[in-house]
Amino acid sequence: MHLKRLLWLLSLCVTLVIVTPAQSSHRFDFGPGQTAAGYTQVLPETLYNQERGYGFEPGAALKGVVRDGKDALRSDLITSTQPFYFSVAVPPGNYRVTVTLGDQAEATATTIKAELRRLMLESVATSKGQFITRSFIVNVRTPQFPGGEVRLKDREKTTEWWAWDEKLTLEFNGAHPAVCALEITPVEVPTVYLLGDSTVCDQPREPYNSWGQMLSRFFNDRVAVANHAESGESLKSSLGARRLDKVLSLIKRGDYLFLQFGHNDQKEKGEGLGAFTSYKSDLKKFVVAAHARGAVPVLVTSVQRRTFGTEGDAQGKITNSLGDYPDAVRQLAREEQVALIDLHAMSKTLYETLGPVGSGVLFKEGDGTHHSNYGSYELAQCIVAGIRANKLGLAKYLVKDLRTFDPAHPAAFAQFAVPPSPQQTNVKPLGN
């Protein structure tokens, strides 16, 4: 009996050693004024280093402001005239991030992105003396998993490293961001895993963007979006890089796996390769694997390229540049009885609604495949419309202010107000 109790105590100690770090919360009071009880003070000069484990990323001109008041959290703040980044070292997992925004003396406007430009909060405005507390979920990951690690591309080790490092990084952007307080707490919530190509992945720099980066904006703080898509990937290369293995090491009952490939798969040539052969059979592997872990697979047809016809009946209409690949996805969805979001059809409607010239605002200039911030935002709304149309349980986690979206009636580009992130590139994403 004593031996059993000793073994139980030893197992409990091991469990505590493993679990406790991931269960700790971080609470930060921004500004040079009085620090609220239980919070860590953050000053403009608090730069991130590994020893401290939190702080601002270098580059921004930050300003600490102190106002009168008895509320320690709301009587001071940090702001800037340019976007700025704040990072906290955390283990892999999902985290509820709660921010308090506002200023006693001025109106504010704050947009928040996470990791690689994942849109979390859009244009949160406060009037003079008003404060708003909002929460959202950020997924943090590393390449390692039991039995191996993801085979990262060179760009993932450089410009995309924030998607894989040991930190949770927040971008504070907008016309007048004002941050009073920040709390980060590990949580267990349903997770939406994304696998796909450059039209899905977290693009690291402006002016490129993908619908997977915008999707998190449309969910509340009861669900996470974990974007494991990557530029240039096909189903075969994603398997080879062990991206599916990474997802399968994490995914559980009640989670979702969204799959959108095709752009790069259609370029793979050889005996036995094709939409209704190798592509469909590989896609089925992903579906079966998700089902085996109790997760819900969702198939997404490839987003259209901007390929307008120029003559006869094709004039002003998108011509399909993806061959049989969208139909192969539709066929598999029917056979396996899984949810289908027909982004191929919805994006055709979206592009044609704006027309051969007007649709240019959906894309990076001169690129007919990769999207702008506006384009990816509209496509993310197509995905949300598909979630609703399929009556997925996931729909209950959508934000309350969400309107019904129709790709034939997109929001005007002039009304789009998500501010760009600071870092720019002329390097085209992999794939086409």
Side-chain angles (χ1 to χ4, degrees):
M1 182 65 71
H2 292 297
L3 179 59
K4 288 183 178 179
R5 181 169 178 79
L6 178 60
L7 291 173
W8 177 81
L9 288 171
L10 286 173
S11 67
L12 178 62
C13 291
V14 171
T15 301
L16 288 173
V17 168
I18 295 173
V19 173
T20 299
Q23 290 180 335
S24 61
S25 296
H26 301 270
R27 297 197 296 176
F28 300 100
D29 183 347
F30 282 62
Q34 180 184 353
T35 304
Y39 285 73
T40 299
Q41 186 178 45
V42 176
L43 300 172
E45 58 268 25
T46 305
L47 296 182
Y48 182 88
N49 60 49
Q50 288 187 330
E51 183 178 0
R52 180 183 290 122
Y54 65 89
F56 293 105
E57 300 292 341
L62 299 166
K63 180 182 179 182
V65 178
V66 180
R67 308 295 190 195
D68 293 332
K70 296 180 180 179
D71 186 339
L73 280 183
R74 293 167 177 81
S75 60
D76 59 346
L77 57 97
I78 286 181
T79 185
S80 178
T81 57
Q82 57 186 293
F84 57 94
Y85 297 90
F86 185 80
S87 295
V88 182
V90 294
N94 293 325
Y95 293 85
R96 176 169 291 115
V97 178
T98 302
V99 294
T100 300
L101 307 170
D103 187 351
Q104 289 182 7
E106 297 179 1
T108 74
T110 308
T111 290
I112 299 178
K113 304 176 189 179
E115 299 290 87
L116 280 183
R117 301 167 57 225
R118 302 176 204 160
L119 184 60
M120 296 292 163
L121 296 181
E122 178 187 357
S123 302
V124 179
T126 66
S127 57
K128 176 182 175 180
Q130 180 189 15
F131 295 88
I132 291 179
T133 298
R134 296 278 297 273
S135 297
F136 50 88
I137 303 295
V138 178
N139 175 266
V140 176
R141 68 173 187 258
T142 59
Q144 293 75 30
F145 59 88
E149 64 179 89
V150 178
R151 189 177 304 127
L152 300 181
K153 297 180 179 180
D154 288 343
R155 57 182 282 156
E156 293 179 274
K157 301 174 185 177
T158 52
T159 58
E160 296 180 16
W161 184 238
W162 277 2
W164 292 104
D165 66 9
E166 79 292 351
K167 301 181 293 186
L168 188 163
T169 299
L170 300 174
E171 175 188 322
F172 295 95
N173 207 323
H176 182 31
V179 188
C180 298
L182 171 66
E183 184 171 355
I184 298 174
T185 304
V187 290
E188 290 291 335
V189 295
T191 302
V192 180
Y193 292 92
L194 308 181
L195 280 170
D197 52 35
S198 59
T199 63
V200 186
C201 74
D202 289 345
Q203 291 293 346
R205 296 182 177 181
E206 303 285 352
Y208 297 100
N209 204 279
S210 297
W211 65 255
Q213 286 174 284
M214 294 295 188
L215 190 62
S216 50
R217 177 263 181 263
F218 302 104
F219 287 109
N220 63 23
D221 67 340
R222 294 294 184 271
V223 68
V225 176
N227 195 347
H228 288 254
E230 175 54 30
S231 289
E233 292 293 73
S234 64
L235 282 166
K236 286 189 178 297
S237 66
S238 190
L239 282 167
R242 306 200 69 180
R243 299 186 193 278
L244 177 62
D245 290 337
K246 171 67 177 181
V247 169
L248 294 180
S249 74
L250 299 167
I251 203 167
K252 61 186 183 303
R253 183 170 300 278
D255 290 342
Y256 292 78
L257 177 59
F258 281 52
L259 300 162
Q260 188 224 281
F261 289 91
H263 277 252
N264 301 306
D265 303 77
Q266 70 173 167
K267 305 169 201 170
E268 296 176 341
K269 306 299 181 183
E271 186 176 352
L273 298 180
F276 291 106
T277 53
S278 59
Y279 178 71
K280 184 181 169 185
S281 62
D282 283 341
L283 189 57
K284 184 176 179 179
K285 294 176 185 176
F286 285 62
V287 170
V288 170
H291 272 149
R293 283 158 177 78
V296 179
V298 178
L299 297 180
V300 183
T301 54
S302 305
V303 62
Q304 293 270 10
R305 297 185 180 97
R306 188 179 172 221
T307 50
F308 279 92
T310 57
E311 296 181 1
D313 293 339
Q315 190 170 8
K317 301 293 183 181
I318 288 290
T319 58
N320 176 31
S321 65
L322 286 146
D324 292 329
Y325 285 83
D327 278 338
V329 177
R330 296 179 184 115
Q331 186 181 93
L332 182 64
R334 290 192 298 269
E335 292 173 356
E336 297 298 312
Q337 297 184 332
V338 299
L340 173 75
I341 296 178
D342 201 343
L343 190 60
H344 188 255
M346 285 190 282
S347 59
K348 182 179 190 294
T349 299
L350 176 63
Y351 300 174
E352 290 178 354
T353 296
L354 296 177
V357 176
S359 61
V361 296
L362 297 166
F363 295 84
K364 190 270 183 188
E365 185 178 359
D367 190 319
T369 298
H370 303 104
H371 297 92
S372 64
N373 291 318
Y374 170 68
S376 61
Y377 190 96
E378 298 304 295
L379 290 170
Q381 291 191 87
C382 289
I383 297 295
V384 170
I387 291 171
R388 284 174 157 172
N390 281 278
K391 298 181 180 180
L392 297 176
L394 188 60
K396 66 185 176 184
Y397 301 115
L398 294 171
V399 293
K400 292 181 179 180
D401 66 345
L402 194 59
R403 298 179 179 178
T404 301
F405 179 77
D406 180 355
H409 298 91
F413 174 65
Q415 298 174 353
F416 183 70
V418 174
S421 298
Q423 296 180 320
Q424 304 279 325
T425 185
N426 290 319
V427 179
K428 186 177 180 179
L430 300 173
N432 185 25

